[in-house]
Amino acid sequence: MYPLEPRAGEIGRLAAQGAWLTEETEALLSSIGVGPGWRCLDLACGLGDVTRLMAARAGAPGLVTGVDLERRFLDHARAEAAGGVEYLEADACRTGLPDGGFDLVHGRFLFAGAARFDTLVAEALRLARPGGVLALQEQDLSSMACFPPHPAFARLKAMLGAGLEQSGTGRGVARRLFGLLRQAGLRELRYRPFLVSCQAGDPQAAWLPDIVDSLRGPLLRAGLTDGAALDEAIAA
């Protein structure tokens, strides 16, 4: 299931996040060579921003499928869908789709818990055709910084890291991903780190307080902070 709790601004946060990452995602799809006729799968597709980028490249001869368990996200994605795109409400670990049906299987921020890693990778590899591509985009908190430094930013970053550790994801899954995929038996691996940035006034300037607010329930239940401290840091 989606690891973050529903909140009034979650659709907007995800839409802004998708726009923030568009340039790098386009670079990823270009490096893979996605083009007309490709069959692509977007696991845990969310609002479908990557799904639509794939569809624009695959064109009418291709077929792009987005899979997600969150109906509210799929409703939004379907409202934005173009031709050659279909959406399926299903678990990324158990899609029910046929073996080897896709040239590209993609996932962004897919590993919501370390316990799911082997199952997710096995499912993704099952769905990719022989010689196909598995492409994963993941985060690493070590590169998250604020200039000039702000004490509330530091507190929120620490809360986010603690929440990710509690969920089993960890703070640096992107750094670990290459090794994890090696352990899973993959050998033809490429690794492309990238940074994105924003400044005050940009839509993504509120990304950190917004995502920590989405983790409010798990953080409070785990005793990693209290409501007053969280509200104070977000406000600051």
Side-chain angles (χ1 to χ4, degrees), residues 142-213:
S142 65
S143 63
M144 185 183 291
C146 178
F147 302 100
H150 193 293
F153 185 97
R155 293 199 299 273
L156 289 171
K157 179 181 175 180
M159 290 179 194
L160 176 57
L164 291 173
E165 293 289 350
Q166 182 75 18
S167 75
T169 303
R171 302 164 191 257
V173 67
R175 263 177 300 164
R176 296 165 43 226
L177 197 55
F178 189 95
L180 290 169
L181 291 171
R182 281 278 193 181
Q183 293 171 22
L186 280 74
R187 290 295 176 264
E188 295 183 30
L189 298 177
R190 297 179 184 177
Y191 189 79
R192 182 179 182 271
F194 68 87
L195 294 172
V196 290
S197 63
C198 63
Q199 62 188 51
D202 291 347
Q204 279 305 320
W207 183 87
L208 179 58
D210 283 351
I211 198 168
V212 174
D213 194 29

Side-chain angles (χ1 to χ4, degrees), residues 41 43 65-67 86 88 90 94-102 123 126-127:
L41 176 64
L43 292 173
T65 302
V67 171
E86 61 182 21
L88 172 67
R94 296 177 298 276
T95 63
L97 293 166
D99 293 357
F102 297 95
E123 178 70 352
R126 181 187 71 80
L127 294 166

